[in-house]
Amino acid sequence: HRVLIAAGILVLFSVSAIIFGHSTGIGTMEGQNGTVVQSRELRFADRADGAVLVYDMAQQRQVDEIAPTTNGFLRVVLRGFARDRQKQQVGPEAPFRLELWSDGHLTLEDPSTQRQVDLSVFGHTNLEAFARLLTVGQTSP
């Protein structure tokens, strides 16, 4: 029971932080310094059972599967981006860009809506949910 309450609080905090950042610009990457040292274009797709499928656009294949009811922070961030896409009538096929910057920040950008979020401001555990997607399922060239 405590775990569900804690998970609910985490999701509520994450949603609040994303809304706050989106409306104020605090925690977003406006005025970003540094250069991109690693980047990956990803597409996310919801499966009927609640899983989120992750596709690498360069490899043109699925590289990960986020199990249903896991990774609440990742899901909240993606829902926020999906809402922006719906408002701007952008479909789910367009990729997102996950970028690691020379100053250590990790950002998720939606080039189709120009929205970018600094994932580093949400703490190490939440950051790791996205950081692992930089390399998961990669094959050698």
Side-chain angles (χ1 to χ4, degrees):
H1 187 63
R2 289 185 197 187
V3 173
L4 290 176
I5 291 172
I9 290 170
L10 175 63
V11 169
L12 181 62
F13 170 76
S14 298
V15 169
S16 299
I18 289 169
I19 291 169
F20 175 78
H22 185 63
S23 62
T24 66
I26 296 172
T28 63
M29 295 308 296
E30 295 170 14
Q32 168 70 35
N33 294 319
T35 56
V36 175
V37 295
Q38 189 174 359
S39 180
R40 193 174 194 187
E41 289 198 349
L42 302 168
R43 187 174 62 82
F44 300 92
D46 292 324
R47 199 168 62 192
D49 67 356
V52 175
L53 306 179
V54 183
Y55 296 89
D56 180 294
M57 298 308 290
Q59 296 181 36
Q60 293 294 308
R61 68 179 186 89
Q62 181 181 331
V63 293
D64 200 14
E65 179 179 316
I66 310 300
T69 71
T70 65
N71 290 287
F73 176 71
L74 182 140
R75 291 169 185 278
V76 167
V77 170
L78 293 178
R79 280 189 206 112
F81 277 98
R83 276 192 301 276
D84 280 355
R85 284 184 168 194
Q86 283 181 328
K87 288 178 189 174
Q88 296 184 31
Q89 299 177 339
V90 175
E93 339 39 69
F96 293 92
R97 187 174 302 124
L98 186 61
E99 297 176 319
L100 177 63
W101 294 79
S102 59
D103 63 4
H105 282 86
L106 183 68
T107 60
L108 183 65
E109 178 183 5
D110 185 351
S112 59
T113 65
Q114 302 304 307
R115 181 175 179 199
Q116 186 179 52
V117 174
D118 180 356
L119 301 165
S120 305
V121 300
F122 296 104
H124 185 298
T125 303
N126 291 328
L127 174 71
E128 184 56 34
F130 280 94
R132 63 180 288 286
L133 296 178
L134 281 170
T135 57
V136 70
Q138 283 190 333
T139 57
S140 300

